[in-house]
Amino acid sequence: MVEERRLAVLRAIVEDYVSTEEPVGSKALVERHGLGVSPATVRNDMAVLEEEGLIHQPHTSAGRIPTDKGYRLFVDRLGTVKPLTAAEKRAISTFLEGAVDVDDVVRRSVRLLAQLTRQVAVVQYPILSQSTVRHVEVVALAPHRLLVVLILSSGRVEQRLVELDRDLDEAQVGDLRSQVNRAVVGQRLGVAADALARLRTDEAPADGPTSEVVGVLVDALSDHSSDQRVVVGGTANLARFGDGFDTVLRPMLEALEEQVVLLRLLGEATTGGAVTVRIGAEGPVEELAGTSVVTTGYGAGADMLSALGIVGPTRMDYPGTMAAVRAVARYMSRILDENNNA
Amino acid sequence: MVEERRLAVLRAIVEDYVSTEEPVGSKALVERHGLGVSPATVRNDMAVLEEEGLIHQPHTSAGRIPTDKGYRLFVDRLGTVKPLTAAEKRAISTFLEGAVDVDDVVRRSVRLLAQLTRQVAVVQYPILSQSTVRHVEVVALAPHRLLVVLILSSGRVEQRLVELDRDLDEAQVGDLRSQVNRAVVGQRLGVAADALARLRTDEAPADGPTSEVVGVLVDALSDHSSDQRVVVGGTANLARFGDGFDTVLRPMLEALEEQVVLLRLLGEATTGGAVTVRIGAEGPVEELAGTSVVTTGYGAGADMLSALGIVGPTRMDYPGTMAAVRAVARYMSRILDENNNA
DNA sequence: ATTGGCACTCGCGCCGGTGGAGTGCCAGGA
DNA sequence: TCCTGGCACTCCACCGGCGCGAGTGCCAAT
C-alpha cells in the first residue's frame, strides 16, 4: 500500500511538473491531487523516491523534478494512454483522406502529428521494398534523350533522364518500352531488378540503347535512398522551449537538418506495433540528451516497415503524445494500404 | 568630402556591427578602419547620422547601431557585392550538377544556399506554366481504377488516381490514352487544359469514363498548387540567434511553417534579374520586423518565374548574402534550362 | 573643419540583506 | 509500523545600492 502511494506520488510529480514546468513541492501536491495524506507523509515518500533515483531536487529547499529514470518508470508502469477525443479522431481521418498521393499523405501526416502533439514531428517515407512495379514509361524527349518513369504500386513515381550515344526512333522506343514492361510489371522491386539484369545480358547487345535504359532502371529500383527520406514539421513548436536553449533547442535544430541523424532516431522503432519511448540519454544521439523521442512503426499491410514519431523535451505529456503518435501511424497505415491494394 | 566621410563612417558602423554584434563606438571605429581622423570627428559625424535617422544608440553612452534606414542606405549605395571565391563557385557547380530530377535540384539548392549564407534558405518550386505536356500515361490498376500520370517538359511528374463507375478493358484504356495524348502533347499547360475541356464536350459521352479521366487531367493541369510549394533549409542556422529570441527566432519559426507566409515573402521578387533586399518592417509580414529578406527570381529560359532567397536578422552580411543568392539563382536557372531544352 | 580635453551619463556586474517556499527531522498518536 | 503536526533550517530569487568603465556631448583651441 505504501509502495502504491509512493508511485502515485511519482505520477503526481510527473504530471504536475509537465504542466507547470516548475519543481513541485509537497504541499502543492496534496492540494492538487486528492491523495488523502499530509504533506509530511508525502515528504517522506519523496525522500525515498529520491534515494531510488526517480526524482531529484535542483537544490535544497526546492521542489522535486522527475529524473529520466523517473519518467521511464512513469511511462512503463504509470502512464495510461489517454484515448483521443472523437473530434480528434474525426479530424485525423478527414485530414488524411484528402491526400492525393504518397507525398501528400506524408506531408499531411507530419503536419497533423505536429499539431496534435505540439512537438516537432518526424515522418519517414513509406518503404517500398514490398511494393511492386506497376508500369514503366519511356518517353523520347529528343532522339538521343529518354525520360524513364517508374510507377510503383505504392503510388510512388521515380523518374530518370537517360542520355543515349545514338538516336532512336519512335518504333524503337515503343519496342523498348514493351520489352521492359514485360520483364518487370507486377514484380517486387528486388525481383524486378534481377529480371532486368538478365534482360540486359540475354537479349540486348551490350552497346545498344537498351543497355543504358536498363542500367538506369536497375539503379532506380535498387536505389533505396528515397526510402531514407524524412520529412520534418512543427518546428515552430520549438519556440515554446524558451528555456533550455542550449540543451534542447540548439541540438534539436541541428539534428533536424541531418537526415541521417533523424533516421537513427526513428531507426529502432520499426519493430512491432508498439509505441517506443526513448528518454533523454537513452537515445542514440548524445547531443539529444535532454530530449525524448516517441516513435512507432507504420506501413501498408501487416509489416511495419517505416517509422514516424516526435521529438521533444523530456518534460512532455507522454500519455497524450503516445496516443497521438499511435493514432496517426494507424490512420496512415490504413490509407497507404487502401491505395496499395484497391 | 565631409559627406563622403560620413558615409564611410556609416559603412564602417554597419560592417563592424554585423561582425561583432555589439554597438560600435567612435574609438573602436577609427582603430579598426583606417579613417584618417580622430574619434571626436567621428563622433560629430555620428551625431549627424543619428539626426538623419541612419543610426541609433540603445542608450546614452552606448555605441551606435544602424537603423533599418541605415541598412537600407548601406545596401543601396555602399555595399559592393562581393564576388564569390573560385572555390565557392566550383562547389556550387559540382553540387548542383549531381541532381537527378527537379525535386533534387530544389533540395540541393536550399541546402547550398543555407550553407553559403549561414542563414535560413527558402526556395520556391520552379513554376510550370511555361512548360509543355510531354506525355500522359494512363495505367489500369484495376478494372475500375486508373492511374493517370502527367509528364511535363520541366521534368515534373504529376500523378492522380481515378475511380471509375464502371470497368474498362485494356483496349479501352489504350484508346483513351492515345486520344488524350493526341489532344495535349506538346501544348502549354493552359492550352492543354482548354483542349481537354473541348475533348470532353465534343467527343465523349458525358457519362463515359473519358469524362472522369479528362476531368482529373484538367484539374491537374490547372492546379498550380505545386508551383506554390516552398522548401526551407538551414533552420539550424537559427540557433546562432541566441539573442532576439522573441524578435527573431520565434516569429521566424512560425513563419517558416506557413507556406503562405513564405510565398508572400518571396512573392514580389520575381521581377527582373536583380536581387531584392527587404529590411525589417519593409516586408509584407509584420511579425518579421527585425528580420531581413534577400530574394531574387530564377527560372528556365529568359523568364524569371520563380523565386528563392534567404531570411535572416536585419544584422547580416548583405554583400556576401546577396552574392550567394544571386549565384545560386543563376546556377539553378542554368541547370533547369539545360534539362528543359536539351 | 578638425582636434584634444573633460565632465557627464548610464548600463552592467557585484554585493549583502530579506522574504518565502520547501525541506528534514522529531516526537506524539493511531 | 506508519502517519501527522510542528519547528528550525536552508537556500534561492528578488531588490536596491554602488563603483567601474565605456562612450558620449560639448567646448575651446588650432
Side-chain angles (χ1 to χ4, degrees), chain B residues 189-210:
Chain B
L189 302 201
V191 183
D194 290 348
L196 277 175
R198 227 174 305 120
L199 185 67
R200 172 156 52 174
T201 51
D202 291 359
E203 299 187 19
D207 55 358
T210 315

Side-chain angles (χ1 to χ4, degrees), chain A residues 137-139 141 145-149 159-161, chain B residues 134 151:
Chain A
E137 186 52 36
V138 183
V139 188
L141 304 184
R145 196 170 220 205
L146 301 181
L147 180 68
V148 180
V149 182
Q159 45 173 322
R160 292 282 190 285
L161 272 179
Chain B
R134 244 176 206 160
I151 302 171

Side-chain angles (χ1 to χ4, degrees), chain B residues 93-166:
Chain B
S93 190
T94 55
F95 192 52
L96 286 186
E97 299 286 357
V100 302
D101 61 10
V102 183
D103 288 321
D104 207 24
V105 172
V106 173
R107 277 198 300 270
R108 281 166 186 254
S109 299
V110 213
R111 212 185 170 107
L112 193 57
L113 199 52
Q115 278 174 8
L116 288 172
T117 60
R118 304 188 28 109
Q119 306 283 6
V120 177
V122 183
V123 177
Q124 181 185 6
Y125 259 73
I127 284 194
L128 306 181
S129 61
Q130 294 300 317
S131 58
T132 56
V133 178
R134 244 176 206 160
H135 188 74
V136 178
E137 186 51 36
V138 182
V139 188
L141 304 183
H144 62 287
R145 197 171 219 205
L146 300 182
L147 181 67
V148 179
V149 182
L150 180 63
I151 302 171
L152 304 176
S153 65
S154 61
R156 171 83 63 93
V157 175
E158 294 278 338
Q159 46 172 322
R160 291 284 190 284
L161 273 178
V162 186
E163 296 284 351
L164 302 177
D165 295 340
R166 60 202 179 98

Side-chain angles (χ1 to χ4, degrees), chain B residues 119 240-241 248 252 290-292 311-318:
Chain B
Q119 306 283 6
R240 292 184 298 127
F241 314 148
V248 180
M252 260 212 238
T291 68
S292 288
V311 190
T314 12
R315 174 218 309 137
M316 75 165 74
D317 168 22
Y318 290 95

Side-chain angles (χ1 to χ4, degrees), chain B residues 174-184 199 203-204 210:
Chain B
D175 215 42
L176 176 58
R177 182 186 306 134
S178 52
Q179 208 178 110
V180 171
N181 272 293
R182 223 176 303 122
V184 299
L199 185 67
E203 299 187 19
T210 315

Side-chain angles (χ1 to χ4, degrees), chain B residues 244-310:
Chain B
F245 185 86
D246 281 317
T247 64
V248 180
L249 214 154
R250 181 191 301 272
M252 260 212 238
L253 279 171
E254 275 158 19
L256 295 177
E257 284 282 311
E258 285 299 332
Q259 304 263 331
V260 192
V261 174
L262 290 176
L263 282 168
R264 281 235 301 290
L265 281 185
L266 293 177
E268 296 146 26
T270 52
T271 48
V275 176
T276 307
V277 179
R278 240 169 307 142
I279 294 163
E282 296 171 9
V285 185
E286 56 182 324
E287 287 74 25
L288 291 182
T291 68
S292 288
V293 183
V294 179
T295 50
T296 194
Y298 78 89
D303 331 82
M304 288 298 174
L305 289 165
S306 204
L308 56 77
I310 64 94

Side-chain angles (χ1 to χ4, degrees), chain A residues 7 14 38 51 63 70 94 103 106 124 130 140 169 178 184-185 209-210 249 252 258 276 304 307 319 328 334:
Chain A
L7 290 181
V14 171
S38 79
E51 226 159 273
T94 54
D103 287 322
V106 173
Q124 182 185 5
Q130 294 300 317
D169 63 30
S178 54
V184 299
V185 166
T210 315
L249 213 155
M252 260 211 238
E258 284 300 332
T276 307
M304 288 299 173
V328 172
R334 219 191 56 205

